[in-house]
Amino acid sequence: MSTDPTQIDSDALVLIVVGAHPRAEQADRPIAYALRTRIAKWLAKRFDGEESPLTPLVVTDVWYLNDNSLRRCPAVSIGGPGVNALSAYLGDKLPSAFVVDDQLMVQMDLDLNDLVAVCWGVTPESTHHAVEAFGDRYLDEFMEAAARTRAA
């Protein structure tokens, strides 16, 4: 982690990516902040009293897609392909991990070779449920892999 508080160490980030779209700002950003809080609590518990090597940060798809250094970071994209360019890009590249037909989807590489996931639903409520499913089913393994990657 950088000792200069004005600098962001991109190698220490876990990104939560939302679309730079009015609907995404209104519906998906609050969901992203809730996931950021959940990740921060996970990190605090995992590193119990030690400084966490990772920092969760909510960013837009525009920033993520235009900054090469961010593409090395573990990332969770929130929101569907209609409002999030990263979700649209990853839609045909990641397998489905959890699906409720015609409602919601979590896509990710369950082998965790690529630390990127996409969570979205057909409504803001179903997107919230997709993120909850990611948190309940996959967050521990995803974050352990992210921590190992940072330690390497």
Side-chain angles (χ1 to χ4, degrees):
M1 196 162 269
S2 174
T3 57
D4 180 353
T6 64
Q7 296 295 316
I8 295 176
D9 180 1
S10 62
D11 290 332
L13 297 175
V14 175
L15 300 176
I16 301 132
V17 182
V18 297
H21 183 285
R23 250 185 8 233
E25 289 291 344
Q26 184 178 36
D28 298 336
R29 188 171 286 274
I31 297 167
Y33 284 127
L35 180 59
R36 182 188 67 180
T37 298
R38 188 169 181 176
I39 290 171
K41 287 179 181 177
W42 187 96
L43 290 165
K45 183 178 178 183
R46 167 67 170 74
F47 293 99
D48 190 30
E50 299 174 36
E51 184 177 349
S52 170
L54 296 168
T55 302
L57 182 66
V58 176
V59 300
T60 66
D61 54 351
V62 173
W63 187 34
Y64 180 89
L65 292 169
N66 288 302
D67 187 332
N68 288 333
S69 68
L70 297 182
R71 291 199 213 110
R72 296 188 309 262
C73 299
V76 179
S77 185
I78 297 177
V83 296
N84 186 322
L86 179 58
S87 295
Y89 173 75
L90 294 172
D92 64 351
K93 294 168 182 58
L94 289 175
S96 299
F98 179 78
V99 176
V100 176
D101 286 337
D102 300 322
Q103 290 299 307
L104 62 91
M105 181 179 300
V106 175
Q107 295 174 268
M108 63 184 289
D109 171 12
L110 291 175
D111 293 331
L112 299 172
N113 294 317
D114 293 317
L115 289 177
V116 63
V118 177
C119 304
W120 65 283
V122 296
T123 66
E125 183 178 322
S126 59
T127 296
H128 170 77
H129 290 305
V131 172
E132 287 293 312
F134 169 79
D136 294 345
R137 294 169 180 264
Y138 309 112
L139 184 65
D140 287 338
E141 290 178 53
F142 186 89
M143 291 304 300
E144 283 293 344
R148 280 192 306 274
T149 300
R150 175 64 177 155

